[in-house]
Amino acid sequence: MKLSEAKHQFISSWGAYGSNWGINRTMAQIHALLLISPMPITQDDIMEELNVSRGNVNMNIRELINWGLVQRVIVPGERKEFFSAEKDIWRVVTQIMKERKKRELEPMLKLMDTLEAVEGDKKDKHVKAFVDTVSNIKKTGRHADKMLDTLIRAEESWFISALTKIIK
Amino acid sequence: MKLSEAKHQFISSWGAYGSNWGINRTMAQIHALLLISPMPITQDDIMEELNVSRGNVNMNIRELINWGLVQRVIVPGERKEFFSAEKDIWRVVTQIMKERKKRELEPMLKLMDTLEAVEGDKKDKHVKAFVDTVSNIKKTGRHADKMLDTLIRAEESWFISALTKIIK
DNA sequence: CCGTATTTTCAAAATGTTTTGAAAGTACAA
DNA sequence: TTGTACTTTCAAAACATTTTGAAAATACGG
């Protein structure tokens, strides 16, 4: 397979996977393009490579920066802004976990605290089922939260080998 | 807070969280409703509770069954079908991980194998950057795959306590 | 079997999301 | 300060997904 074809497939698949994760196609494609770029590139490069409008590139780059996956790079002597992505995929993964934990898991656990305090007779099966579900979500959520903290902090190889050892 | 209000909030938030995960609002809301229902319920119950059409309920229930999160239940003496959800949230989580691993991670790793075999001079920085990224994704993906297998197999409490021990 | 209750399908409508592109805003060099 | 290169914004258009509802299919009791 030729490089150009392989690149194309990579970008297009990365875009498709993104949509299963609440990420829009263009954003995922920009990320893919940056991942395989040996040097930082500009908005114009991205526009040309992916055939999308300036506004679209601008919005999605900004969002990638919010997620901590892409950085603005100053190239001396150049007036344009350049962009580059974190290349270590494990760090990409932990960065995403960190953000999603903050944006989704933590607020959800807060909500569950509120909902757990529902009024009503705990012997009523509807009340009981509700409270049980909410408590169970809290419990599982807290566990997930701890696990994610551990994962995020741990060095990859270290973690895997430790994990594999205790599992064996 | 009254039960009805709490239920309403629970269902609506669960629906909102779903959309960050590539799951549509109604599907997530049906799941939420089933989670807090003490008894199996029918399509008509769901239609009424969530104010959605029959077709919509039918499609999304089927999808939840595909994901292994909901089951059809036969109630003796009743002609209608009833539905109930897995209530143990940890099992819900592992079930989702299992499915996503199969549907997304495994195919992605297959694709990376293909892409890694790209032609071209490895000294060309574009070729090198591409191959490096693909290899890195493969490596990280395989690790994630192993970790997920472990998590899916492990009993929750067992796993957490072992994990916390080695981390300390 | 037949009639009715129930489930499923699917094209069209409604709704939601993404993309465009041109105008406004900014920042830099001279 | 001014002109120009560049970035950002955002309303409207394009596109994609979800929802509806009625018709078709199916299953079930008698």
Side-chain angles (χ1 to χ4, degrees):
Chain A
M1 197 188 297
K2 285 261 186 329
L3 179 62
S4 60
E5 194 198 335
K7 265 185 172 181
H8 195 269
Q9 247 198 64
F10 178 74
I11 290 171
S12 126
S13 316
W14 206 253
Y17 290 128
S19 37
N20 295 132
W21 291 89
I23 287 163
N24 81 53
R25 211 177 77 252
T26 306
M27 182 169 153
Q29 288 187 349
I30 293 175
H31 186 224
L33 178 60
L34 287 168
L35 279 177
I36 60 177
S37 295
M39 307 291 293
I41 61 180
T42 64
Q43 288 202 1
D44 293 82
D45 296 332
I46 298 171
M47 284 168 64
E48 187 172 348
E49 196 84 29
L50 304 181
N51 281 295
V52 291
S53 73
R54 184 173 300 285
N56 197 1
V57 170
N58 192 275
M59 267 187 59
N60 284 300
I61 273 275
R62 202 140 29 84
E63 194 59 14
L64 284 166
I65 293 173
N66 280 342
W67 275 88
L69 298 174
V70 166
Q71 287 184 310
R72 255 172 245 274
V73 175
I74 307 289
V75 174
E78 289 276 7
R79 193 145 157 192
K80 286 186 182 175
E81 291 178 333
F82 286 71
F83 300 93
S84 78
E86 166 63 58
K87 297 293 203 305
D88 180 332
I89 302 298
W90 178 251
R91 280 206 255 163
V92 171
V93 170
T94 53
Q95 181 61 33
I96 290 171
M97 292 194 310
K98 206 193 279 182
E99 285 290 328
R100 297 198 78 150
K101 192 165 102 61
K102 188 172 75 198
R103 297 178 190 199
E104 296 165 37
L105 187 53
E106 287 164 13
M108 193 184 77
L109 290 177
K110 280 227 178 59
L111 176 65
M112 294 303 133
D113 280 335
T114 318
L115 295 182
E116 206 175 23
V118 65
E119 298 161 17
D121 182 2
K122 296 287 147 63
K123 274 175 235 138
D124 174 343
K125 64 183 178 179
H126 289 93
V127 176
K128 186 169 185 323
F130 184 82
V131 173
D132 283 355
T133 299
V134 169
S135 312
N136 195 214
I137 291 173
K138 270 180 64 176
K139 195 181 76 181
T140 310
R142 277 197 307 258
H143 283 167
D145 195 68
K146 276 187 218 151
M147 276 173 38
L148 290 173
D149 275 342
T150 306
L151 266 181
I152 289 166
R153 265 189 263 106
E155 272 307 305
E156 177 195 48
S157 56
W158 176 96
F159 181 76
I160 293 296
S161 68
L163 190 57
T164 335
K165 253 174 227 151
I166 61 160
I167 295 310
K168 276 274 169 62
Chain B
M1 195 188 298
K2 284 262 186 331
L3 179 63
S4 59
E5 195 198 334
K7 266 186 172 180
H8 195 268
Q9 247 198 65
F10 178 74
I11 290 171
S12 126
S13 317
W14 206 253
Y17 290 128
S19 35
N20 294 132
W21 290 89
I23 286 162
N24 81 53
R25 211 178 77 251
T26 305
M27 185 168 149
Q29 289 187 348
I30 293 175
H31 187 223
L33 178 60
L34 287 169
L35 279 178
I36 61 177
S37 295
M39 306 291 294
I41 61 180
T42 65
Q43 288 202 0
D44 293 82
D45 296 333
I46 298 170
M47 285 168 63
E48 187 172 348
E49 197 83 30
L50 304 181
N51 282 296
V52 291
S53 72
R54 184 174 301 285
N56 197 359
V57 171
N58 192 275
M59 268 186 59
N60 284 300
I61 274 275
R62 200 140 30 84
E63 194 59 12
L64 284 166
I65 293 174
N66 279 343
W67 276 88
L69 299 174
V70 166
Q71 287 184 311
R72 255 172 246 273
V73 174
I74 306 290
V75 174
E78 290 277 6
R79 192 146 158 191
K80 286 185 181 175
E81 290 178 332
F82 286 71
F83 300 93
S84 79
E86 167 63 58
K87 296 293 201 304
D88 180 333
I89 302 298
W90 179 253
R91 278 206 256 163
V92 171
V93 171
T94 53
Q95 181 61 32
I96 290 171
M97 292 194 309
K98 204 193 279 182
E99 286 289 328
R100 297 196 79 148
K101 194 165 98 65
K102 187 171 73 196
R103 296 178 192 200
E104 296 165 38
L105 187 53
E106 287 164 14
M108 192 184 76
L109 291 176
K110 280 228 177 61
L111 176 65
M112 294 303 132
D113 280 335
T114 318
L115 296 182
E116 205 176 25
V118 66
E119 299 162 17
D121 181 3
K122 297 288 146 62
K123 275 175 237 138
D124 173 341
K125 64 183 176 178
H126 289 93
V127 176
K128 186 168 185 322
F130 184 82
V131 174
D132 283 354
T133 300
V134 169
S135 313
N136 197 214
I137 291 173
K138 270 181 64 175
K139 194 181 77 181
T140 309
R142 278 197 305 258
H143 283 168
D145 195 68
K146 276 188 217 150
M147 277 175 36
L148 290 173
D149 276 342
T150 306
L151 267 181
I152 289 166
R153 264 189 264 106
E155 273 306 305
E156 177 195 49
S157 55
W158 176 96
F159 180 76
I160 293 296
S161 67
L163 191 57
T164 336
K165 254 175 229 150
I166 61 159
I167 294 311
K168 277 271 167 62

